[in-house]
């Protein structure tokens, strides 16, 4: 159930010219490169043509919760529609693409197959660190902290145990645990607020607003980015039950407009693209309910 071929790089070091691995009991395979397989009996699966990560700077993942759940739905559909085929997840070239693919398959194992973290990690014990790249922050600077694929799986496993995220029931397909995926996708869209639910019903993150001309909820700049005004976002957040907002970066909006909507506003600014100083981090944690 394992196939690989070796080639040579320009510097003389060996690298996998192609790789095929069985990761789910002769049903789902992951592959990268010029795969030397007779395709008969295999269903080529390339979700990356639909599911993409859109970087801000030099970041490349991990995929957010909406993309994770859509991947699970897509691979389920493949299995259902092609019951006599093995699924071959053919990954684009590169360590970053392979890292995202491995993460998504592990998420399928944890959330859909209900496998434990240890069983999921065991299915990828062949994985060499040189084959993938750890996830990094959204800057162009050299990262001082990274996340491994296992870190991301551990977070999903923890969220599942807390009931925050889990495979939906037949009666409520859009509700993955405590997360409404349709709503998550709507507000995740930069045209609808760029708001991300981190802890269900308790903690959201979003791009900071800017002061916009009177009578406008937002403006679209010449680059095509949508910039929302504080009044509009405060009204939207109030409908979500948000009671406090924390500004972490440079002030570009009038904080009093949040307070007018009944949302307390706190100022904990620090340099953009930098880690918060210990005092800022401690103050932020004290604000959490």
């Amino acid at each position: 159930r394992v196939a690989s071929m070796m080639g040579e790089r320009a510097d003389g070091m060996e690298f996998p010219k192609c790789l095929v691995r069985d990761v789910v009991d002769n049903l789902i395979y992951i592959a990268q490169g010029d795969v030397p397989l007779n395709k008969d009996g295999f269903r080529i699966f390339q979700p990356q043509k639909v599911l993409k990560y859109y970087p801000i700077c030099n970041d490349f993942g991990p995929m957010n919760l909406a993309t994770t759940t859509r991947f699970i739905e897509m691979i389920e559909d493949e299995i259902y529609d092609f019951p006599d085929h093995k699924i071959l997840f053919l990954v684009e070239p590169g360590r970053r693409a392979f890292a995202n693919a491995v993460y998504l398959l592990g998420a399928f194992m944890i959330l859909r197959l209900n496998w434990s973290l240890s069983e999921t990690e065991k299915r990828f014990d062949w994985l060499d660190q040189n084959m993938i790249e750890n996830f990094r922050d959204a800057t162009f600077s050299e990262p001082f902290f990274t996340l491994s694929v296992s870190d991301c799986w551990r977070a999903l496993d923890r969220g599942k145990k807390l009931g925050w995220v889990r495979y939906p029931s037949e009666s409520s397909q859009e509700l993955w645990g405590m997360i409404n995926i349709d709503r998550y996708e709507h507000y995740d869209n930069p045209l609808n607020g760029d708001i991300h639910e981190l802890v269900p019903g308790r903690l959201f993150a979003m791009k900071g607003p800017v002061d916009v001309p009177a009578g406008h909820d937002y403006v679209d700049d010449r680059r095509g980015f949508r910039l929302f005004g504080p009044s509009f976002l405060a009204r939207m957040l109030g409908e979500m039950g948000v009671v406090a907002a924390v500004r972490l970066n440079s002030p570009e909006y009038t904080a009093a407009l949040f307070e007018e909507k009944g949302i307390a506003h706190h100022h904990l600014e620090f340099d953009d693209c930098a880690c918060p100083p210990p005092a800022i981090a401690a103050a932020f944690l004290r604000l959490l309910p």
Side-chain angles (χ1 to χ4, degrees):
R1 298 179 183 177
V2 177
S4 64
M5 293 179 60
M6 303 300 293
E8 285 193 352
R9 291 197 306 229
D11 59 7
M13 295 177 63
E14 290 186 331
F15 73 104
K17 185 178 180 181
C18 56
L19 171 76
V20 181
R21 289 277 182 168
D22 173 13
V23 291
V24 181
D25 303 330
N26 202 29
L27 174 63
I28 301 176
Y29 291 72
I30 187 171
Q32 189 178 53
D34 299 324
V35 180
L37 283 178
N38 182 343
K39 300 293 192 303
D40 292 342
F42 283 88
R43 170 69 179 174
I44 304 301
F45 178 54
Q46 294 182 288
Q48 61 271 23
K49 292 183 176 181
V50 178
L51 303 177
K52 296 182 181 295
Y53 180 89
Y54 295 95
I56 297 175
C57 297
N58 196 27
D59 50 310
F60 65 95
M63 298 293 189
N64 68 16
L65 188 59
T67 303
T68 299
T69 59
R70 297 311 182 200
F71 172 85
I72 294 172
E73 293 170 344
M74 289 176 68
I75 201 167
E76 276 195 295
D77 288 343
E78 292 289 309
I79 295 169
Y80 180 82
D81 292 340
F82 301 93
D84 298 326
H85 289 70
K86 300 176 178 68
I87 306 302
L88 184 66
F89 183 2
L90 188 55
V91 184
E92 295 174 336
R95 296 169 64 213
R96 292 184 165 189
F98 207 63
N100 277 324
V102 168
Y103 158 72
L104 289 171
L105 281 172
F108 171 77
M109 296 171 186
I110 291 169
L111 294 179
R112 181 63 184 97
L113 301 182
N114 205 30
W115 288 0
S116 67
L117 176 62
S118 59
E119 174 63 17
T120 300
E121 291 178 327
K122 184 178 179 181
R123 296 300 176 116
F124 294 94
D125 58 7
W126 49 268
L127 192 66
D128 190 293
Q129 187 59 37
N130 291 325
M131 299 168 65
I132 60 175
E133 186 175 328
N134 281 356
F135 301 112
R136 53 155 299 146
D137 59 3
T139 69
F140 289 112
S141 305
E142 186 69 23
F144 295 100
F145 178 82
T146 61
L147 290 175
S148 68
V149 168
S150 287
D151 291 330
C152 300
W153 291 338
R154 192 172 298 112
L156 271 182
D157 185 62
R158 178 63 174 164
K160 185 176 74 170
K161 290 175 179 176
L162 292 171
W164 293 356
V165 56
R166 58 181 50 162
Y167 189 76
S169 65
E170 288 291 334
S171 61
S172 186
Q173 289 292 312
E174 77 283 354
L175 197 63
W176 286 68
M178 299 172 64
I179 302 290
N180 184 309
I181 292 297
D182 291 340
R183 189 180 80 158
Y184 181 103
E185 279 188 313
H186 174 80
Y187 289 115
D188 170 68
N189 190 317
L191 298 180
N192 298 326
D194 208 0
I195 300 172
H196 308 268
E197 192 168 7
L198 305 182
V199 178
R202 292 188 62 190
L203 184 61
F204 297 83
M206 67 179 186
K207 180 181 178 181
V210 298
D211 284 329
V212 297
H216 291 263
D217 288 334
Y218 59 84
V219 294
D220 294 331
D221 67 15
R222 63 183 60 186
R223 300 170 300 169
F225 291 104
R226 179 157 293 178
L227 308 175
F228 289 90
S231 294
F232 175 78
L233 286 179
R235 185 169 64 251
M236 184 186 299
L237 293 172
E239 294 171 355
M240 296 178 182
V242 172
V243 297
V246 183
R247 180 159 62 199
L248 300 177
N249 295 132
S250 302
E252 296 184 346
Y253 62 91
T254 304
L257 295 175
F258 276 88
E259 295 168 340
E260 289 176 4
K261 301 293 184 181
I263 296 177
H265 193 279
H266 304 275
H267 307 260
L268 296 177
E269 294 96 345
F270 60 94
D271 291 339
D272 197 13
C273 299
C275 291
I280 293 290
F284 178 79
L285 292 176
R286 287 195 296 270
L287 292 174
L288 297 180

